[in-house]
Amino acid sequence: FHPKYRTPDGQSWPGFGHMHSAPRLGKWLKENDEELFNKVDDTDISAGGAFQRRTPHATINVLRAEQLEAAEGRRSTGSLYSVNIRRLYEEGFQKLEDDLRRE
């Protein structure tokens, strides 16, 4: 987690623990929220992914394997990220960026 986190572009694999790529987020958004998918562009989708990993200061999130397994088993990944992108889109990416800078 980092204040300048960028969503992977899907051209390479950034490693375990990073946000899913913009193309994958777009696919999930289309499947779970077609109305929003039709309103946004790739930049919005990337911003929606990035803000799910942005923090005012560089942060490391450490999970034990059993914690990660429990979390993975309880969520519908595509739906979760789609809901988060909608929330962030509705808040406004510029407002989020301004708030992050003020923090």
Side-chain angles (χ1 to χ4, degrees), residues 36 40 43-52 54 83-102:
L36 180 60
V40 299
T43 301
D44 293 328
I45 292 170
S46 290
F51 273 103
Q52 293 180 62
R54 287 192 179 167
V83 167
N84 288 345
I85 290 171
R86 174 170 279 286
R87 287 180 179 149
L88 294 164
Y89 175 80
E90 289 174 349
E91 185 69 21
F93 296 124
Q94 188 58 55
K95 180 185 181 304
L96 293 167
E97 190 68 44
D98 293 344
D99 290 348
L100 184 64
R101 266 191 238 118
R102 273 195 299 278

Side-chain angles (χ1 to χ4, degrees), residues 1 13 17 20 26 36 38 50 53 77:
F1 298 86
W13 188 64
H20 295 279
L36 180 60
N38 291 326
R53 293 289 193 271
T77 302

Side-chain angles (χ1 to χ4, degrees), residues 5-21:
Y5 188 89
R6 297 181 63 110
T7 302
D9 63 10
Q11 300 301 310
S12 63
W13 188 64
F16 183 76
H18 283 274
M19 175 53 66
H20 295 279
S21 70

Side-chain angles (χ1 to χ4, degrees), residues 13-80:
W13 188 64
F16 183 76
H18 283 274
M19 175 53 66
H20 295 279
S21 70
R24 179 169 290 170
L25 292 172
K27 175 182 174 286
W28 285 335
L29 189 61
K30 185 175 184 178
E31 291 171 356
N32 291 282
D33 192 343
E34 192 165 2
E35 176 189 354
L36 180 60
F37 177 80
N38 291 326
K39 288 183 189 178
V40 299
D41 59 19
D42 291 344
T43 301
D44 293 328
I45 292 170
S46 290
F51 273 103
Q52 293 180 62
R53 293 289 193 271
R54 287 192 179 167
T55 57
H57 307 284
T59 305
I60 297 173
N61 185 21
V62 178
L63 296 175
R64 293 187 179 117
E66 61 269 13
Q67 292 172 308
L68 187 57
E69 288 172 15
E72 288 292 329
R74 291 187 196 142
R75 72 176 191 202
S76 170
T77 302
S79 177
L80 173 73

